[in-house]
Each structure stands twice: as structure tokens, then as C-alpha cells.
């Protein structure tokens, strides 16, 4: 059975061109980039070319790009080093962050006594900029604000330019987890004064195990992995040359096609909204995810009007790969923090969230299959409800 893949916020399939570029490196560029002979220097050149390419996309300098193993490592490195090396004593964040941010912040609170202030999102999942401004003003402590750009479960977009400017005015550092938006949107960091950001190649058809951190110069950030002088001593360890080349190829492909991919995926997302609204009575959409201008176009968070914790499994048996929330929490028995923040108690008890996430490879026929699969499950619940009412 051909799988229908609707879990692109968890990860994306590798592009053929990315695989070819990586295999070529694995076969031919095995030199260690730190070696001074020509094989080593050829590998080094491959890495520096990708660094320049990333820097051009973000309109920053190549020295501000540090290759890492993933989004999790980039976020860990930035947040931990802000405390260890930049004198941060207070972190302002939100309960909607990815676990690699929220657990890192929690760890710093427990181990280092860092003060943590949580901005409470409203029922649409939005953070109040006014509340942030207020919180920023009422402390003398050196502060890091860490707020994600695009939420991985509901797709809500944060105005990172506004937040970055506010942080600057208040002398606070600003980190944004940009793992879901990187490559999918124009990000001009010469205009957005963010201090730190993160990227993971597998979110845009690149390889897993390859990412980078954007670290604005003069922030004083240092690495947390010590060892050799790789990546300007900010991330010791022999570089993942083929992973970095794969990231570069995936970024090139995505940027060359960004407008056509975005337009196509928006059309698919609108189609999914229309079909689900027509065929599933009582369906709702979480956060801002059904508002095209306020959410990431790859994510649609659906709220189904019945409780079915097994829905992911049922759809999988129909050949549809999809998550209920984020991939990291969808296997867990605990409800997602994001859903706990935006749903009321009754909704938590009586509904089922489903995250549909698209790519340029998603087709309308796949959306039709999903909608009819969900409609069949919903129909089963309606019959059961009618039987209970008539008993
Ligand atoms: N941040 C966000 C918003 C994510 O969605 C993810 C992955 O799902 C990560 C961070 C972690 O990235 P990685 O899988 O590269 O560690």
C-alpha cells in the first residue's frame, strides 16, 4: 500500500537531488575538513560554500552560522550558553515552546536557579506583546527572551521583528526557535534584530542530523561542546560534511521554488479546510492555523468533535501517516501542553486534535483520502452516540 504522508511538520522526505549530493560527498569527499592536505581542504570548501549560502539567505555574515547536529542541539547550545557565558539570570518564554526549549529552560531553572517568566498564550495561542513589554521592564536582571517563530503544533506565527525590536529596546537577548519556518519563509536578519535562531534540515527535505545555529556576532556566546577548534570553537567535533552539503542542497531547492511551493501548499491547505468543514460536522481548527496570513502554510491543526485517542493508529491502518500533536509528544500518554493552553476542560475531554502537515508533494487526492478516513471514524462515533441516546 502506498503511504499517504501528512506529517511534514515532524519530518519531510529527502529530495532525490539531496540524496545524490550527499552520496557524492560520501563517496568522494571523505577528507577531514581540519586536515591541511587537499582532500581535507576540498571538504572544508564544501562546508564554507554552504555557510555562505545560508548567510546569503538570512542576510548575515557567514561567521554567524554554526553548523550543528539538529534543531535541538542549536536551541540547547544557545539557551545554555546564554546562562553560562552571557550572564543571563532571567528567561522569558511561553508554555507553547518545543520540548527542546522548554526542558532546557526548566533544567536551567532547577540546576542554576534561573528565574523563568512564562507568558500565557490566549485561547488562539497568541502571546501578548504588551505583556512581554511589561515583563521586560520590571527587572534589572540580564534577560533572554526565547519564543518560537512558528508553532510546530498549531502553526501560529509570532511577529519576531516586533519582539526582536522590543528586546533590543529593553537590552534583552532574543532567541527564536525558527526550526519550522526556516527555508519556508523569507527571513531577513539584517532587518529583524534577533540575536539567535535555529534550523534543522529535515524540516525542508534535507537530512536528519544536520542543522545550524544563527549566532549574532558580539553576543559573547560560546560553545557547550568543548574540544577542537571546529566551527570557530563554538561546536567542537569533526564536521558532518555530507549532512551539511545535504542541508545546503535542500535549502537551494527550497529557496529556488519557495513561491511556487508556498502557493501550492496554501491551495492544498485551503482545500483541506474546506473539505473537512463540509464533511465533518462540528469540526474546528486550533489556534490561528486556519488563518492563512497568521499561520505557517504547512500546518493545519484540526479539532475533531469526538474523543478518539486511537485515531492516529486507525488512520495509519488506512495507510495515512499523521500526528495528533508534535511528533515528540504524539506517542506520549500526557496531553500536549499546547492543547492544554488553548482548549477548555470540556474540549480536552470530548475532542481529538489532529495535526495535518503538508509539503509540495501533498495532493488533493491525499486530502480526500484523509477526509473520508476521518469521516468514517466520525460516523462510527455518531452511530454509537445515537445508540446510547436510544438505550
Ligand atoms: N523546534 C521545533 C519547533 C521543532 O518542530 C523541532 C522538531 O520537531 C525541533 C525544534 C527539534 O528539531 P530536531 O528534530 O532537529 O532536533
Amino acid at each position: 500500500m502506498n503511504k499517504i504522508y501528512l506529517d511534514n511538520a515532524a519530518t519531510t522526505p529527502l529530495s532525490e537531488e539531496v540524496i545524490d549530493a550527499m552520496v557524492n560527498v560520501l563517496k568522494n569527499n571523505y577528507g577531514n575538513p581540519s586536515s591541511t592536505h587537499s582532500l581535507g581542504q576540498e571538504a572544508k570548501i564544501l562546508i564554507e560554500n554552504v555557510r555562505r549560502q545560508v548567510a546569503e539567505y538570512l542576510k548575515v555574515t557567514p561567521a554567524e552560522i554554526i553548523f550543528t547536529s539538529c534543531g535541538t542541539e542549536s536551541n540547547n547550545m544557545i539557551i545554555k550558553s546564554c546562562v553560562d557565558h552571557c550572564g543571563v539570570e532571567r528567561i522569558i518564554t511561553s508554555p507553547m515552546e518545543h520540548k527542546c526549549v522548554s526542558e532546557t529552560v526548566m533544567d536551567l531553572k532547577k540546576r542554576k536557579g534561573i528565574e523563568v517568566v512564562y507568558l500565557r498564550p490566549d485561547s488562539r495561542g497568541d502571546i501578548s506583546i504588551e505583556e512581554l513589554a511589561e515583563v521586560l521592564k520590571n527587572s534589572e536582571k540580564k534577560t533572554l527572551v526565547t519564543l518560537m517563530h512558528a508553532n510546530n503544533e498549531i502553526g501560529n506565527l509570532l511577529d519576531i521583528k516586533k519582539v526582536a525590536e522590543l528586546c533590543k529596546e529593553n537590552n534583552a537577548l532574543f532567541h527564536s526557535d525558527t526550526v519550522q519556518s526556516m527555508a519556508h519563509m523569507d527571513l531577513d536578519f539584517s532587518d529583524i534584530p534577533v540575536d539567535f535562531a535555529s534550523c534543522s534540515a529535515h524540516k525542508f527535505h534535507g537530512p536528519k542530523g544536520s542543522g545550524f545555529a544563527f549566532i549574532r556576532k558580539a553576543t559573547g556566546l560560546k560553545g557547550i561542546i568543548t574540544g577542537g577548534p571546529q566551527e570557530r570553537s563554538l561546536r567542537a567535533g569533526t564536521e558532518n560534511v555530507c549532512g551539511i552539503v545535504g542541508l545546503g542542497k535542500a535549502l537551494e531547492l527550497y529557496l529556488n521554488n519557495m513561491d511556487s511551493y508556498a502557493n501550492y501548499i496554501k491551495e492544498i491547505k485551503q482545500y483541506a479546510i474546506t473539505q473537512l468543514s463540509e464533511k465533518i460536522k462540528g469540526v474546528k481548527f486550533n489556534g490561528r492555523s486556519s488563518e492563512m496570513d497568521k499561520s505557517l502554510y504547512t500546518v493545519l491543526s484540526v479539532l475533531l468533535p469526538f474523543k478518539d485517542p486511537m485515531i492516529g493508529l486507525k488512520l495509519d491502518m488506512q495507510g495515512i501517516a499523521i500526528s495528533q500533536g508534535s511528533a515528540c509528544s504524539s506517542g506520549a500518554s500526557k496531553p500536549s501542553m499546547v492543547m492544554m493552553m488553548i482548549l477548555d476542560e470540556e474540549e480536552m475531554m470530548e475532542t481529538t486534535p489532529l495535526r495535518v502537515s503538508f509539503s509540495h508533494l501533498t495532493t488533493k487526492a491525499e486530502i480526500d483520502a484523509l477526509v473520508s478516513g476521518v469521516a468514517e471514524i466520525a460516523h462510527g462515533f455518531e452511530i454509537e452516540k445515537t445508540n446510547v441516546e436510544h438505550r
Side-chain angles (χ1 to χ4, degrees):
M1 182 175 16
N2 264 350
K3 275 272 176 205
I4 293 177
Y5 189 71
L6 295 172
D7 200 14
N8 290 281
T11 196
T12 49
L14 277 176
S15 307
E16 282 298 324
E17 291 96 323
V18 172
I19 297 172
D20 291 346
M22 291 176 72
V23 169
N24 189 38
V25 171
L26 286 171
K27 282 186 180 161
N28 302 311
N29 301 103
Y30 53 87
N32 185 323
S34 297
S35 299
T36 49
H37 52 66
S38 54
L39 265 178
Q41 288 312 291
E42 278 164 23
K44 177 100 185 134
I45 288 168
L46 291 176
I47 296 176
E48 295 315 313
N49 286 344
V50 179
R51 202 188 308 280
R52 261 199 306 279
Q53 181 196 347
V54 171
E56 252 170 56
Y57 161 50
L58 297 175
K59 299 200 175 62
V60 298
T61 62
E64 292 170 307
I65 303 301
I66 301 299
F67 291 114
T68 64
S69 69
C70 59
T72 298
E73 183 192 330
S74 304
N75 288 336
N76 262 264
M77 167 195 186
I78 291 162
I79 298 169
K80 286 180 177 160
S81 179
C82 274
V83 170
D84 285 349
H85 305 293
C86 307
V88 163
E89 294 175 303
R90 183 174 78 134
I91 297 177
I92 303 175
T93 185
S94 102
M96 314 274 283
E97 299 299 306
H98 188 272
K99 267 192 179 302
C100 68
V101 168
S102 59
E103 290 293 319
T104 304
V105 170
M106 201 44 127
D107 175 62
L108 290 167
K109 180 179 170 163
K110 278 193 205 139
R111 282 192 305 115
K112 309 232 163 173
I114 298 301
E115 181 190 340
V116 180
V117 182
Y118 290 97
L119 303 173
R120 214 190 148 77
D122 62 20
S123 60
R124 307 299 303 269
D126 287 336
I127 295 297
S128 156
I129 305 276
E130 291 72 32
E131 188 190 358
L132 173 62
E134 211 41 55
V135 176
L136 275 169
K137 279 196 196 93
N138 67 20
S139 175
E140 292 293 300
K141 285 182 183 169
K142 175 103 187 182
T143 298
L144 168 72
V145 174
T146 173
L147 293 170
M148 71 206 309
H149 185 202
N151 186 278
N152 51 303
E153 285 188 51
I154 54 175
N156 280 34
L157 286 170
L158 178 76
D159 186 343
I160 50 169
K161 183 164 190 233
K162 224 181 210 172
V163 172
E165 284 167 354
L166 193 58
C167 290
K168 225 174 176 44
E169 277 164 32
N170 288 277
N171 211 15
L173 290 165
F174 177 42
H175 161 240
S176 188
D177 174 351
T178 47
V179 164
Q180 288 290 342
S181 55
M182 196 66 85
H184 294 273
M185 296 172 72
D186 278 324
L187 285 174
D188 177 353
F189 288 170
S190 69
D191 185 46
I192 304 169
V194 61
D195 293 297
F196 313 109
S198 47
C199 167
S200 182
H202 74 96
K203 305 293 184 184
F204 50 93
H205 307 277
K208 293 168 188 63
S210 178
F212 66 80
F214 162 69
I215 297 170
R216 198 171 296 276
K217 60 175 171 289
T219 44
L221 203 102
K222 292 188 182 151
I224 54 169
I225 299 177
T226 45
Q230 294 92 349
E231 297 297 300
R232 295 172 199 274
S233 295
L234 278 162
R235 204 270 182 178
T238 302
E239 300 88 335
N240 174 6
V241 185
C242 103
I244 293 169
V245 167
L247 183 154
K249 193 69 195 173
L251 184 67
E252 177 195 317
L253 290 171
Y254 216 98
L255 296 186
N256 285 345
N257 295 290
M258 195 200 277
D259 288 345
S260 63
Y261 283 179
N263 289 336
Y264 176 74
I265 299 170
K266 281 178 190 170
E267 194 186 314
I268 289 284
K269 179 170 169 173
Q270 190 53 58
Y271 182 72
I273 294 170
T274 310
Q275 291 303 306
L276 284 161
S277 305
E278 275 176 17
K279 312 258 163 60
I280 317 286
K281 211 172 95 196
V283 76
K284 287 184 191 162
F285 301 100
N286 296 310
R288 298 277 184 191
S289 75
S290 60
E291 293 169 64
M292 288 297 177
D293 54 335
K294 295 204 165 100
S295 66
L296 189 65
Y297 55 87
T298 50
V299 175
L300 178 65
S301 178
V302 183
L303 195 67
L304 299 168
F306 51 86
K307 186 85 190 160
D308 188 0
M310 303 302 282
I311 194 161
L313 202 65
K314 288 180 187 169
L315 290 170
D316 194 29
M317 282 159 65
Q318 295 181 28
I320 301 170
I322 197 162
S323 286
Q324 285 193 245
S326 75
C328 318
S329 63
S330 57
S333 53
K334 273 210 284 189
S336 115
M337 181 57 93
V338 173
M339 290 303 149
M340 284 185 356
M341 285 292 132
I342 60 171
L343 300 181
D344 61 32
E345 226 170 280
E346 195 183 323
E347 284 172 322
M348 286 299 288
M349 297 290 290
E350 291 174 7
T351 61
T352 307
L354 197 64
R355 180 183 69 180
V356 195
S357 49
F358 318 96
S359 81
H360 62 285
L361 303 169
T362 310
T363 63
K364 286 187 178 168
E366 290 178 324
I367 300 301
D368 290 340
L370 170 75
V371 175
S372 77
V374 173
E376 200 181 303
I377 296 167
H379 186 58
F381 278 93
E382 271 166 32
I383 294 174
E384 200 181 293
K385 206 169 137 198
T386 316
N387 287 346
V388 170
E389 279 165 6
H390 288 165
R391 242 178 243 152

